[in-house]
Amino acid sequence: GIMRDISGIAVMEQELSRKLGIRQAIIVSGNSDESPWVKQELGRATAMCMKSRLKGKNIIAVTGGSTMAAVAEMLTPDLAERDWLFVPARGGIGEDVKNQANTICAKMADHTDSRHRVLYVPDQVSREMYESIIKEPNIKEVITQIKSASMVLHGIGDAITMAERRKTSEEDFVKIKHAQAVGESFGYYFNEGGEVVHKVQTIGLQLDDLSHIEHIIAVAGGSSKAKAIAAYMKRAPSSTILVTDEGAAKQLLKG
Ligand code: BG6
């Protein structure tokens, strides 16, 4: 019956958060690899989690990806009573427009009647160009906002899938493969032990900045992402909350 399923999930959530060494795991039913609507459920669960954790004025840093795009779709105007500002967590990391953090922040702001900022940094720039871009007052201001965020919402991807999806150079692709990267999050690639084996150079949030941020919500589902999630969680701050699905959770609890 339904009650048994619910308590079954609650037990899984406990086991999973303990196993990964994180604050909380929230599991939705299904497997997003098989059923696309499960991503919407991940979105709904994330929206509820945001609502319960954030009161008043907040800056929320967001990464890109199709999962974050689903979260954006599930945000609703009743959240507008809160004073939120969405900022992209990091500058250009080679994603298509629809998967970019800028696009997703705009959609999140739109759905919640709140504000957003954009961070336009080209993916591949010379050192010289980069140095002058980061001196631009508008960019500087957004970076300050990112670093003072009270919440980070981010996706986790399979390393090779992400390297293929992005405009990764042949050289970096070989490096990522050779280092046996399995997981990726905000442009950092991790091996099974949770070590960073490659990083996309860009401005904005750096991995070490996470420890200063009060609320961290990672959203990733699908059994195919289990290895990636396990790898990243070895490195993630213990305050992290994972929103995932049964497909990934079952695989993670097996491993
Ligand atoms: C990227 C994020 O845009 O999306 C990454 O920067 C994340 O943090 C990835 O790993 C996940 O993408 P998806 O489409 O699987 O949600």
Side-chain angles (χ1 to χ4, degrees):
I2 285 175
M3 286 316 286
R4 235 187 87 202
D5 289 349
I6 291 170
S7 69
I9 289 230
V11 171
M12 267 176 94
E13 287 175 337
Q14 292 282 336
E15 285 175 3
L16 191 57
S17 63
R18 200 173 320 128
K19 181 157 188 177
L20 299 176
I22 56 173
R23 178 179 290 170
Q24 194 188 350
I26 298 168
I27 303 172
V28 304
S29 338
N31 181 354
S32 38
D33 286 344
E34 284 157 18
S35 338
W37 52 264
V38 176
K39 260 191 193 165
Q40 291 169 32
E41 290 309 311
L42 290 174
R44 198 191 310 275
T46 306
M48 278 169 60
C49 186
M50 289 169 77
K51 198 173 172 173
S52 72
R53 302 233 161 221
L54 298 180
K55 307 279 172 247
K57 208 173 162 159
N58 284 278
I59 298 177
I60 305 169
V62 185
T63 71
S66 60
T67 312
M68 278 304 129
V71 173
E73 290 302 336
M74 299 315 284
L75 296 181
T76 48
D78 67 294
L79 298 166
E81 69 200 48
R82 288 144 231 254
D83 185 0
W84 285 354
L85 173 69
F86 292 96
V87 291
R90 300 190 81 200
I93 48 177
E95 290 270 27
D96 277 348
V97 173
K98 69 169 175 359
N99 281 323
Q100 274 171 21
N102 280 327
T103 312
I104 290 164
C105 283
K107 200 180 272 178
M108 288 184 167
D110 193 37
H111 282 193
T112 55
D113 291 328
S114 45
R115 294 168 301 136
H116 77 282
R117 295 293 300 263
V118 290
L119 194 57
Y120 287 122
V121 190
D123 293 336
Q124 253 116 42
V125 288
S126 65
R127 189 82 223 163
E128 222 181 0
M129 180 80 166
Y130 179 88
E131 298 294 349
S132 75
I133 287 173
I134 57 171
K135 287 195 195 106
E136 212 268 311
N138 190 52
I139 301 259
K140 263 191 165 167
E141 199 182 300
V142 180
I143 292 172
T144 307
Q145 287 169 329
I146 293 169
K147 306 251 173 178
S148 58
S150 50
M151 175 175 276
V152 174
L153 285 178
H154 71 88
I156 301 170
D158 168 75
I160 301 303
T161 306
M162 291 310 298
E164 277 168 358
R165 194 167 92 185
R166 288 178 174 147
K167 303 172 198 88
T168 309
S169 69
E170 180 64 26
E171 193 190 343
D172 286 346
F173 194 85
V174 169
K175 183 184 166 197
I176 289 164
K177 262 205 143 142
H178 199 83
Q180 294 176 301
V182 294
E184 182 281 342
S185 197
F186 28 70
Y188 288 80
Y189 289 81
F190 304 87
N191 66 14
E192 239 168 10
E195 289 154 350
V196 176
V197 295
H198 177 68
K199 167 190 173 188
V200 179
Q201 270 324 333
T202 189
I203 58 175
L205 199 76
Q206 307 299 313
L207 194 55
D208 291 336
D209 296 329
L210 281 182
S211 54
H212 308 296
I213 295 174
E214 194 181 348
H215 305 283
I216 304 167
I217 310 184
V219 193
S223 47
S224 64
K225 280 192 183 180
K227 267 202 173 145
I229 296 169
Y232 171 70
M233 289 306 167
K234 292 208 172 126
R235 180 60 189 260
S238 57
S239 62
T240 301
I241 297 170
L242 171 68
V243 182
T244 190
D245 61 21
E246 262 182 299
K250 280 187 179 151
Q251 201 64 32
L252 280 161
L253 288 169
K254 249 190 246 167

